[in-house]
Amino acid sequence: MTAQTVSAPSTPMTAQTVSTPSTAVAAQTVSTPSTAVAAAGTTTTAPTRTAGSSGAVGTSRTRLEGRAKVTGAARYAGEVPFAELAYGWLATSTVARGRIRSIGAEPVLAMPGVLAVLHHENAPRLKPGVGMMGPDATLQILQDDRVPHVGWPVALVVAETPEQARAAAEALVVTYDEEPHDVVFSSGHPGLHAPDGGPRARTDTEKGDIEAELAASAVVVDEEYTTPEEYHTAMEPHAAVARWEDGRLEVIDSNQGSHAVAQDLAKLFFLDATSVRVRSEHVGGAFGSKGLMRPHLIVAAMAATVLDRPVRVVLTRRQLFSLVGFRPATAQRIRLGAEPGGRLRALDHDATSFSSTINEYVEQSAQPSRVVYAADALRTRTRVVRLDVPTPSFMRAPGWAPGSFAIESAMDELAEKTGLDPIALRLRNEPEVGPASGLPFSSRNLIPCFEEGARRFGWTDRDPRPGTRREGRWLLGTGMAAAAHSAGTAPSSASITAEADGTFTVRIAAADIGTGARTALTQIAADALETPLKTVRVKIADSDFGPAFLAGGSMGTASWAWAITEAAAALREKLAHVDQIPGEGTTARADTTELVMAMRGQERYAFGAQFAEVAVDVASGEVRVRRMLGTFAVGRVVNPLTARSQLIGGMIMGLSMALHEEGIRDIASGGLVNGDLAGYHVASNADVPVIEAGWVGDPDTYNPTGIKGLGEIGIVGVAAAIANAVWHATGIRHRNLPIRLDRVLTAGTAIENGGAGTY
């Protein structure tokens, strides 16, 4: 390995001490190898820079806007000042299903500072059938008297100050004709059905005879795994300011894709596309919750139209639990059939989840089973039921995160039954092509992830027997899981201008949601232009810059980078015909639509291997994760510093998913019992152990930039790795997340009584 590469010792690290000689990686160390392990005993060199390039890509860079953020100079949507700014506050329903009988607006209009009360009888009309992913009824805010769930917007109160708006909204009296509701989800719900359709409805796949292969299998696993409702808790709440200026609707919003939001906003309000401008320069976290247009923006635009002055609407933390999407609960039945040596004959993944009564969202939890393992017979099936709850939506690694918990837990159970090491079992079932599609992989370096991860974690020193390691009152165990996530590319456009002072300005409607995208794109542009990093200025998140894919699906940087490199090539061609850089106005623009559409016929994914060590006190129910390691194959890494930050952030979210996060719904009211950060638990600093993240060489030619997304794969597989480690520590399987204290206590009682069980 080269001088830049650092490797961990082959022996396991403890939670208390981390070896940090020249051959070890501490928790604080950034993995920045210029070469990476591709297979046992071999290395693959990172892509060579083109002659004359700046060398920016592949080097660790702090965020360009970092100082502005920590000093408060960076303005978020809820902070940008405007003259004559008014403030809106949403009033939301208190019933789970019914109709609005009356809204007591008159007394509220008489309160100090109140300017307007918008509701279904006086709000501007919206165009139906609008939506980024198809017709979306959640956008039809204040259009009729129907109430589909607790927390549905029923009115917007606008006042001179936010305090006045809040007081008036809380004083608003709304009466309802309440109807019976259903908020209880189970895998046996009579309303389960195949998805209705739309771009996310491809759910069922089948190859071979599942039942015949299961019947012929020597070893069978047949179990159900469940995950609960999980909620977005981004640091920055959703906020928007809307105003009319020179005949255009100008918006500053917290979102993941300014151009897409502007297009939908124009359609919704019956406007020409050029009449709407959306900006979202700084976004304080999103994870999918800001990928679509949300109610705060719609009502802000309504109020700005009615009052002819700028209006700001910021959702409260509690409102986020009902208005911006969440991960729905899932119940997944996995059936695996294998030969004595562990080769899969059958893999059957039956996934169920729920959506709302007004809009169907499908959590594609069976996705991992269509990608990760080869089997003679493969079947995946997805079913959904409509309940009287808010509409679920994208949450970091939608489908992949809960789906990986199920299939990777089941594979661990199969390893136990066959007496195989969990990694060895997975290696025996590596596919040569896409298991469901039969298409080739653009690159598939999962095996190097297993090998490098096992070496760094010290996996070979593991005693496979459960319940054999003890440290005082703690039972110790280790577990692992595979990870995969789609790594697609979408059409985007970008422009680059050669300025008179020798600098370059890049314009692209990308979004930086805290990932460091602005910095990565600057590095990419500098290399593409063969110019020093300091000469490049990247402007982002303005819908006027033209179409660009949103920051989602682990597709943002790969999509934007391609557009920028194409624009850079076009600009260099222009400049090659002049003796010096001309003045402002020399601009090249690129649109990758045709290029992307021509790149089909391959399976394109990022891969990884997750490892965890846990300590379990069965007397108190406490589970502590002592250390975690993730090794990933994520294509060309643009900025090792921010890449590692993204991967570790995802791993922490996976820890939170495994041990803490659980939305609990009250059957009587239909609302969440714990719809705030006091009751909805997430991982805190005290929960985060020693965490390492690194990557292996993963050359990929599908996208000429070699970049794959890595924003989501960090969470995939973590929950399974932790649950598998808890089994290794205790001998008890936890097939239901989160692994709560009461479930561990019940398991502890079973152990003491010499029994077993599943919790």
Side-chain angles (χ1 to χ4, degrees):
M1 300 184 111
T2 66
Q4 291 79 14
T5 304
V6 277
S7 58
S10 59
T11 56
M13 295 180 294
T14 67
Q16 293 79 15
T17 60
V18 181
S19 177
T20 57
S22 60
T23 58
V25 179
Q28 294 79 15
T29 304
V30 180
S31 297
T32 56
S34 60
T35 62
V37 173
T42 64
T43 61
T44 178
T45 306
T48 304
R49 295 198 300 266
T50 58
S53 69
S54 71
V57 171
T59 60
S60 292
R61 306 277 178 168
T62 58
R63 289 169 172 81
L64 296 176
E65 78 284 5
R67 181 179 294 274
K69 285 183 174 178
V70 299
T71 60
R75 301 277 189 176
Y76 292 85
E79 301 175 317
V80 179
F82 287 93
E84 299 184 337
L85 181 64
Y87 299 85
W89 199 279
L90 274 175
T92 58
S93 69
T94 57
V95 303
R97 182 175 176 178
R99 294 188 178 276
I100 300 170
R101 182 188 301 170
S102 65
I103 293 180
E106 291 305 318
V108 169
L109 286 167
M111 294 178 69
V114 174
L115 301 171
V117 178
L118 301 182
H119 48 83
H120 68 279
E121 294 178 348
N122 64 1
R125 297 297 92 185
L126 303 175
K127 183 178 181 179
V130 175
M132 190 182 303
M133 305 294 292
D136 186 351
T138 66
L139 304 182
Q140 298 298 308
I141 304 297
L142 309 184
Q143 297 301 288
D144 57 42
D145 63 353
R146 192 75 188 161
V147 174
H149 62 77
V150 171
W152 176 255
V154 295
L156 178 75
V157 177
V158 188
E160 297 286 356
T161 70
E163 294 80 9
Q164 291 171 334
R166 177 176 183 173
E170 291 177 347
L172 185 68
V173 176
V174 182
T175 59
Y176 305 89
D177 290 325
E178 194 169 355
E179 301 171 1
H181 61 263
D182 178 11
V183 297
V184 179
F185 166 71
S186 73
S187 59
H189 195 289
L192 284 168
H193 61 272
D196 292 340
R200 291 183 57 79
R202 186 182 71 85
T203 60
D204 293 3
T205 59
E206 187 163 359
K207 179 188 73 174
D209 189 329
I210 282 287
E211 301 304 332
E213 294 295 341
L214 283 169
S217 296
V219 184
V220 173
V221 171
D222 185 351
E223 302 292 349
E224 182 176 88
Y225 306 85
T226 70
T227 62
E229 297 178 34
E230 298 167 11
Y231 283 82
H232 291 288
T233 53
M235 290 181 67
E236 179 208 16
H238 293 57
V241 178
R243 65 171 176 171
W244 284 91
E245 184 176 349
D246 299 328
R248 297 187 81 194
L249 181 59
E250 297 272 347
V251 170
I252 296 179
D253 179 41
S254 178
N255 66 57
Q256 294 174 235
S258 56
H259 188 269
V261 169
Q263 295 295 297
D264 276 359
L265 193 62
K267 295 174 186 175
L268 199 63
F269 282 86
F270 302 95
L271 299 172
D272 183 87
T274 61
S275 299
V276 177
R277 183 188 187 190
V278 175
R279 288 174 288 165
S280 52
E281 184 175 1
H282 297 292
V283 180
F287 311 107
S289 70
K290 299 173 183 176
L292 306 176
M293 187 159 47
R294 298 302 186 187
H296 68 287
L297 171 55
I298 298 169
V299 294
M302 283 180 171
T305 300
V306 171
L307 297 175
D308 195 23
R309 61 185 287 187
V311 176
R312 173 178 291 148
V313 178
V314 180
L315 297 183
T316 68
R317 182 64 64 180
R318 181 170 283 275
Q319 287 171 345
L320 299 184
F321 282 80
S322 59
L323 294 178
V324 302
F326 61 100
R327 198 192 307 280
T330 72
Q332 304 171 64
R333 183 187 180 190
I334 301 285
R335 295 192 297 167
L336 302 177
E339 296 175 347
R343 190 182 71 83
L344 286 171
R345 299 186 64 133
L347 193 166
D348 187 25
H349 192 157
D350 195 338
T352 59
S353 64
F354 67 81
S355 192
S356 71
T357 59
I358 61 171
N359 209 60
E360 186 164 281
Y361 169 83
V362 181
E363 185 77 1
Q364 297 273 14
S365 300
Q367 287 178 112
S369 293
R370 297 196 285 264
V371 174
V372 183
Y373 301 114
D376 294 335
L378 170 67
R379 182 171 67 186
T380 65
R381 194 180 80 148
T382 302
R383 295 295 180 264
V384 64
V385 61
R386 292 178 178 265
L387 300 177
D388 300 307
V389 297
T391 303
S393 186
F394 312 110
M395 185 171 176
R396 200 172 199 173
W400 294 94
S404 69
F405 168 67
I407 184 61
E408 292 301 312
S409 294
M411 286 294 286
D412 204 68
E413 297 200 47
L414 183 62
E416 177 192 357
K417 287 191 172 187
T418 57
L420 291 172
D421 177 84
I423 294 179
L425 174 66
R426 287 163 171 82
L427 293 177
R428 291 186 186 183
N429 290 287
E430 264 288 290
E432 295 183 357
V433 295
S437 69
L439 295 174
F441 291 99
S442 63
S443 66
R444 184 183 172 97
N445 287 297
L446 179 55
I447 291 177
C449 292
F450 287 146
E451 294 174 337
E452 176 70 351
R455 186 188 65 80
R456 289 181 60 178
F457 192 76
W459 184 262
T460 56
D461 298 328
R462 176 185 192 255
D463 185 334
R465 296 172 300 167
T468 57
R469 291 178 61 201
R470 182 181 287 273
E471 199 175 87
R473 63 189 177 94
W474 299 99
L475 294 171
L476 306 182
T478 54
M480 61 79 58
H485 194 278
S486 56
T489 307
S492 294
S493 63
S495 67
I496 306 179
T497 300
E499 309 290 359
D501 61 0
T503 63
F504 299 88
T505 302
V506 179
R507 293 177 175 84
I508 185 168
D512 191 331
I513 57 178
T515 60
R518 180 189 278 101
T519 306
L521 295 181
T522 303
Q523 293 174 262
I524 289 162
D527 270 15
L529 293 165
E530 298 186 356
T531 188
L533 194 70
K534 63 183 179 181
T535 66
V536 177
R537 181 188 308 107
V538 174
K539 296 186 176 182
I540 64 171
D542 187 332
S543 63
D544 278 359
F545 293 162
F549 193 69
L550 53 80
S554 294
M555 297 169 67
T557 301
S559 302
W560 306 325
W562 195 348
I564 287 173
T565 56
E566 290 294 320
L571 181 61
R572 290 176 61 188
E573 178 67 21
K574 282 188 176 184
L575 298 180
H577 299 293
V578 296
D579 295 330
Q580 60 184 7
I581 296 177
E584 183 177 359
T586 303
T587 298
R589 183 173 182 82
D591 187 316
T592 62
T593 300
E594 292 186 5
L595 294 172
V596 171
M597 298 307 292
M599 299 292 284
R600 291 290 184 264
Q602 287 183 322
E603 294 272 317
R604 191 164 191 262
Y605 299 94
F607 294 96
Q610 304 277 13
F611 296 84
E613 179 181 335
V614 303
V616 183
D617 183 349
V618 293
S620 68
E622 185 176 3
V623 177
R624 285 197 173 272
V625 177
R626 290 194 167 188
R627 60 188 177 108
M628 294 169 62
L629 168 69
T631 307
F632 303 95
V634 287
R636 187 185 188 197
V637 174
V638 178
N639 186 334
L641 180 64
T642 53
R644 179 178 178 275
S645 177
Q646 282 295 291
L647 293 170
I648 286 179
M651 292 168 71
I652 293 171
M653 266 183 107
L655 183 157
S656 196
M657 175 184 181
L659 301 182
H660 301 291
E661 297 192 42
E662 181 179 24
I664 300 172
R665 196 163 292 279
D666 177 35
I667 297 175
S669 70
L672 280 182
V673 174
N674 58 337
D676 54 42
L677 290 182
Y680 184 81
H681 297 164
V682 296
S684 65
N685 285 346
D687 297 302
V688 177
V690 174
I691 296 185
E692 296 180 83
W695 42 86
V696 301
D698 186 31
D700 182 276
T701 57
Y702 178 91
N703 179 326
T705 67
I707 297 170
K708 290 182 180 180
L710 51 73
E712 293 171 284
I713 194 171
I715 190 176
V716 180
V718 174
I722 291 173
N724 294 340
V726 171
W727 168 81
H728 186 233
T730 65
I732 301 296
R733 289 287 175 189
H734 287 267
R735 301 190 183 103
N736 306 292
L737 294 184
I739 305 175
R740 298 193 312 250
L741 296 179
D742 62 309
R743 289 171 173 163
V744 177
L745 286 171
T746 303
T749 301
I751 291 173
E752 291 176 0
N753 294 335
T758 303
Y759 306 92

